[in-house]
Amino acid sequence: MDTTIEYYNNNAEAFIENTRNVDFHNIQNKFLENLPAGAIILDFGCGSGRDTKYFLDRGYMVYAIDGSKRLCELAAEYVGIAVKCMLFNQLSDVEKYDGIWACSSLLHVPSEKLKDILVRIKNALKPDGIAYLSFKYGDFEGIRNGRFFTDMTAHAFADIIEKVNGLYIENQEITEDVRPDRSEKWLNIILRKKD
């Protein structure tokens, strides 16, 4: 994970340039449709701050975190709220959020550590809360382009989530990358907390 954080610290500006203006409204809106007005959202790995800003602009209360100190600084400047620098395995909130947005972020977690992170997400969600996760679609795991990636298939994710009591797949779909210069597929998942 350190290699990945170092990559984002060293390439933050270029990463933001490539991601901040991507039109992601279709999936953002599907997530928001599942939340009450004024819901509390955690942007769990906020990157450029694109999604934090989108949710804030629509009247939601948003907390944002990222593991890269540099991305936190630049995202905070962009969105106008503090962005906390922390790792996924440091999430310790209990029943605080209506929704957790983990867009293209948990794909940097090794597969054997995902169950622990999902338990933390479940604990941090209010009853009946939802979480959105996205992974590059496939079965690769390792270093690619200077960062660690865990790609995911629907079957592989089902095996992991089955071990997390109280968190269920409500919806999932495979989509094309919204960036015009990419031909990758993505696995998009909405989880719901049900005890």
Side-chain angles (χ1 to χ4, degrees):
M1 193 67 111
D2 292 348
T3 305
T4 303
I5 290 170
E6 193 177 324
Y7 172 92
Y8 284 115
N9 283 332
N10 294 333
N11 297 279
E13 286 82 357
F15 173 75
I16 286 171
E17 193 175 310
N18 287 329
T19 57
R20 185 169 282 164
N21 296 317
V22 170
D23 183 350
F24 214 66
H25 303 250
N26 186 28
I27 290 174
Q28 290 164 328
N29 291 336
K30 279 183 187 173
F31 174 71
L32 294 178
E33 282 166 13
N34 286 281
L35 295 174
I40 301 170
I41 297 171
L42 173 64
D43 192 345
F44 201 41
C46 71
S48 69
R50 174 196 68 205
D51 304 322
T52 295
K53 183 160 179 26
Y54 189 81
F55 301 147
L56 284 169
D57 287 350
R58 277 145 193 82
Y60 295 90
M61 174 175 272
V62 186
Y63 293 85
I65 70 114
D66 203 276
S68 158
K69 188 170 186 293
R70 186 64 182 138
L71 280 177
C72 288
E73 292 165 356
L74 294 171
E77 201 176 285
Y78 177 62
V79 302
I81 63 167
V83 175
K84 186 174 183 180
C85 189
M86 65 176 261
L87 303 179
F88 299 129
N89 63 7
Q90 294 174 307
L91 180 66
S92 59
D93 296 316
V94 176
E95 295 191 357
K96 180 173 180 178
Y97 307 105
D98 298 290
I100 294 178
W101 175 264
C103 179
S104 311
S105 57
L106 297 184
L107 49 67
H108 294 309
V109 176
S111 58
E112 76 273 5
K113 295 186 177 173
L114 268 173
K115 179 190 169 217
D116 172 65
I117 305 299
L118 289 167
V119 168
R120 290 173 182 277
I121 285 173
K122 181 196 77 171
N123 293 339
L125 283 171
K126 293 178 183 177
D128 210 38
I130 63 156
Y132 166 77
L133 287 61
S134 62
F135 298 88
K136 290 176 187 283
Y137 191 81
D139 55 15
F140 173 83
E141 184 166 358
I143 301 290
R144 179 172 57 216
N145 302 327
R147 293 165 285 175
F148 183 90
F149 283 94
T150 297
D151 295 353
M152 195 64 65
T153 63
H155 180 74
F157 188 79
D159 286 346
I160 296 169
I161 200 67
E162 191 180 340
K163 300 177 182 83
V164 182
N165 291 330
L167 208 51
Y168 302 94
I169 298 171
E170 182 160 289
N171 186 38
Q172 65 182 5
E173 62 179 320
I174 297 165
T175 57
E176 300 290 334
D177 199 303
V178 294
R179 294 167 292 185
D181 58 333
R182 302 288 183 98
S183 58
E184 297 171 316
K185 291 191 184 314
W186 289 80
L187 178 65
N188 301 271
I189 303 158
I190 296 250
L191 300 174
R192 188 171 294 274
K193 179 176 180 172
K194 292 276 191 197
D195 291 324

